[in-house]
Amino acid sequence: MTQPILVTRQDHVALSAPELWALVGDTDQVNRFIGLPAVRFGAAQESPEGLFRPASARMLGVRLAWHEHAFDW
């Protein structure tokens, strides 16, 4: 099994917390800006692990699907 590659970047910006949140608080907007595909969400559901919404996207012709857990939205 291959290991994931972790890429990090750290920058300092001269913005107040509210100004910065206005830019990065909209996850869908940030995802589109960095080139991630649009995500489709289903209705919230409950499982033994807690609430989740089914999510899916298509990237490079491959359909991706996952459970977006409540703490993520």
Side-chain angles (χ1 to χ4, degrees):
M1 176 182 273
T2 61
Q3 294 295 315
I5 298 171
L6 175 64
V7 177
T8 61
R9 178 178 171 166
Q10 183 176 1
D11 284 314
H12 296 275
V13 293
L15 298 173
S16 68
E19 291 171 321
L20 181 59
W21 186 249
L23 296 174
V24 300
D26 182 345
T27 305
D28 187 49
Q29 177 180 299
V30 172
N31 288 350
R32 281 184 275 124
F33 179 75
I34 64 174
L36 293 177
V39 176
R40 302 180 108 203
F41 292 101
Q45 300 178 26
E46 200 164 340
S47 74
E49 293 82 31
L51 287 175
F52 73 91
R53 292 188 303 174
S56 64
R58 191 168 281 282
M59 187 172 215
L60 302 174
V62 177
R63 182 179 181 273
L64 307 169
W66 63 94
H67 289 170
E68 190 88 12
H69 291 277
F71 58 84
D72 292 333
W73 40 272

